[in-house]
Amino acid sequence: MNFHTYFARAAVVETCIVGTGGFGRSFLVQGLRVPLMNARIAVDVDAESAAQAIQSAGVARDAIAICRTPDEAEAAWSAGKHVAAGDIAVVIGLPFAVLLEATGHPEAGARHARLAIEAGKHVVMVTKEADSVVGPGLALLARQKGVVVTPVDGDQPSLLISLVTWAELLGFEIIAAGKSSEYDFVYDASAGTLTSNGVTIDADAFAGLDRLGDADAAERARARSQAAAAFDQHLVPDLCEMSLVANATGLNFDREDFHAPIARIDEVPTFLSMKAAGGLLDTSGSLDVFHCLRSPDEISFAGGVFVVVRCEDEATWDMLAEKGHVVSRNGATAMIYNPRHLLGLEAATSVLAAAVHGVSQGMVEPTHRVDLVARAEIDLPAGTLLTASGHHHRIEGVSGRVVPAQRLAPDAPVPFYLAANRVLVRPVARGQNILLADIAVDARSDMFALRQMQDAHFFG
């Protein structure tokens, strides 16, 4: 895409950021520098936190107004100030075009998106936790209001949806698609150590496993996984992100929790190919992730995204392999990839696409194919608060699985992030899915109401 042409003569887009930590802050920094955008409004858990985030992005403190009422926000806006608030209701009446929801809190994210849509604002949805439960419903609501909800460029779901649709447009047969996990697995052969996310372990068992060579792919994947058993290799956020891609593209899951091989970049099209071609997959068109294995002096995949495609013409792919493209060891498949994951630094393209062209970077037609559901990994007694915490919003003792979508019902598995931060009203045994009847849901929950609306549309 020629972005200069795509956004030629576009007016400046006013944007409101909700959630100013991590992704939200990096977008705030970039949003103050993008010529076609103003990012003058920030909302966080309290107005002071929002103001501090704006100031940290380079705005003078005397140019920031802390606002606690809609009247204060309107006055500050008219005076040309940056507006900091602790509640979206304070700023929802201001003349911004796009709300970027980046709280990472599922219930809050659903509420903020609903309020923005009802106020006629476009929504760029960074909070995948809410998107995984009610994304299709929010998209339906947005269509009714003449606005769009879009995933955010800079994060993997949007980047992968774009790469998948590009590959489909060009007629490639997609065998697999996915992303690298957030943290590399760095193997130092001289030290006999394996490092991931700042944690280093002795890895004598990894000796001789760091290259695939002629080894059986399934056996090598198992051996590497066992040698790295100290590290979590099946993360709920990865499942969450790929569930969004499944709903947008129609791609499948070969396993409810991914194969997630530990693999070097050049090994991916071998591992994530069909079993008949020496790979791990039973199902073509499958979504998966890989943990990027590298030595300390090798480059990272950087949280990038990829498609594995069938090599239809041997001469063409021989030529491409000679030019450095990543082809499987038997030449049957190749990996085409985008090795970037720039978070808020890239989000402006989603904001501008929504505001200028009314285009979502996600699904053209809202669909609901899969759900990310919660499964007990330990015995969970009644009264347990299923707290989602930490950078990955994990729930202690609970894992995720991606299953075919179905209507909410007492005896149906509950979506993972609908269960988050709620109390179990009855015990759940290890290995069992948590059901809707197992949790206490407040009838006033925005997420619950949106999901019921979504279910009524898709399941009749």
Side-chain angles (χ1 to χ4, degrees):
M1 178 189 298
N2 182 325
F3 283 102
H4 179 77
T5 301
Y6 192 56
F7 295 118
R9 295 181 298 279
V12 172
V13 175
E14 301 288 355
T15 307
C16 171
I17 303 167
V18 185
T20 60
F23 195 110
R25 186 188 177 281
S26 65
F27 174 75
L28 182 61
V29 170
Q30 189 69 359
L32 295 171
R33 293 159 173 76
V34 174
L36 290 177
M37 279 178 43
N38 277 335
R40 284 175 53 201
I41 311 167
V43 180
D44 214 309
V45 292
D46 57 70
E48 182 60 37
S49 296
Q52 289 174 2
I54 297 172
Q55 186 176 7
S56 75
V59 178
R61 185 66 189 220
D62 60 6
I64 304 166
I66 291 180
C67 302
R68 294 182 173 84
T69 69
D71 287 344
E72 290 178 354
E74 185 175 350
W77 181 267
S78 298
K81 298 270 190 179
H82 289 261
V83 178
D87 188 339
I88 191 176
V90 172
V91 301
I92 198 68
L94 296 181
F96 65 89
V98 180
L99 179 134
L100 185 130
E101 212 303 324
T103 63
H105 189 286
E107 187 66 44
R111 172 178 175 265
H112 296 153
R114 177 185 64 79
L115 290 172
I117 291 167
E118 290 176 348
K121 318 290 189 183
H122 302 292
V123 175
V124 175
M125 198 67 173
V126 182
T127 301
K128 56 185 174 287
E129 294 83 359
D131 209 350
S132 69
V133 182
V134 295
L138 289 171
L140 285 169
L141 185 62
R143 289 180 65 188
Q144 294 166 7
K145 296 292 184 179
V147 293
V148 299
V149 176
T150 180
V152 63
D153 283 348
D155 218 359
Q156 290 107 328
S158 181
L159 296 175
L160 183 54
I161 291 165
S162 176
L163 184 58
V164 166
T165 53
W166 170 87
E168 290 174 337
L169 177 68
L170 295 180
F172 289 110
E173 180 186 347
I174 297 175
I175 305 300
K179 60 168 212 164
S180 67
S181 60
E182 186 167 355
Y183 304 110
D184 291 353
F185 282 40
V186 181
Y187 176 60
D188 187 333
S190 61
T193 60
L194 188 66
T195 301
S196 184
N197 190 22
V199 176
T200 299
I201 63 170
D202 291 331
D204 291 339
F206 223 89
L209 300 177
D210 59 320
R211 302 283 176 179
L212 178 59
D214 295 327
D216 178 82
E219 291 180 0
R220 184 52 48 92
R222 282 193 296 270
R224 286 177 178 174
S225 179
Q226 290 170 2
F231 296 112
D232 194 345
Q233 297 167 42
H234 298 273
L235 297 175
V236 170
D238 291 339
L239 290 163
C240 182
E241 290 188 332
M242 293 302 99
S243 73
L244 306 187
V245 178
N247 282 332
T249 64
L251 293 177
N252 307 301
F253 283 76
D254 198 54
R255 278 180 47 162
E256 291 181 335
D257 61 346
F258 292 146
H259 292 280
I262 300 169
R264 291 183 175 276
I265 294 172
D266 64 336
E267 297 170 352
V268 172
T270 297
F271 278 112
L272 295 180
S273 62
M274 302 301 292
K275 284 182 177 176
L280 304 176
L281 303 178
D282 288 306
T283 308
S284 185
S286 290
L287 291 162
D288 220 304
V289 301
F290 79 100
H291 303 290
C292 181
L293 174 64
R294 62 179 179 87
S295 61
D297 60 345
E298 291 177 320
I299 63 169
S300 170
F301 203 74
V305 297
F306 66 88
V307 291
V308 174
V309 302
R310 189 179 303 281
C311 296
E312 298 286 359
D313 180 76
E314 184 176 352
T316 294
W317 285 102
D318 283 348
M319 176 185 66
L320 291 172
E322 290 173 359
K323 291 182 176 293
H325 289 272
V326 180
V327 177
S328 65
R329 61 186 178 184
N330 64 6
T333 54
M335 178 175 71
I336 304 169
Y337 58 100
N338 173 2
R340 77 177 195 266
H341 175 210
L342 297 179
L343 301 172
L345 300 183
E346 204 175 349
T349 53
S350 292
V351 171
L352 295 172
V356 177
H357 293 289
V359 172
S360 170
Q361 309 292 70
M363 57 186 80
V364 176
E365 296 288 339
T367 57
H368 185 200
R369 296 184 175 93
V370 301
D371 272 318
L372 171 67
V373 300
R375 179 170 297 179
E377 292 300 314
I378 59 174
D379 290 335
L380 298 170
T384 299
L385 176 60
L386 301 175
T387 303
S389 61
H391 173 63
H392 291 125
H393 304 125
R394 298 175 62 180
I395 301 174
E396 188 68 29
V398 179
S399 63
R401 297 291 189 278
V402 177
V403 301
Q406 59 180 297
R407 177 193 289 271
L408 286 183
D411 60 348
V414 68
F416 189 96
Y417 287 109
L418 183 57
N421 304 311
R422 305 190 196 277
V423 175
L424 286 179
V425 297
R426 60 189 189 187
V428 180
R430 177 183 179 183
Q432 297 300 307
N433 288 332
I434 299 174
L435 307 181
L436 181 63
D438 294 330
I439 64 170
V441 180
D442 188 336
R444 297 170 295 178
S445 160
D446 276 274
M447 180 176 288
F448 188 62
L450 284 165
R451 179 55 187 251
Q452 288 180 311
M453 179 271 289
Q454 176 178 301
D455 286 350
H457 177 83
F458 288 103
F459 301 114

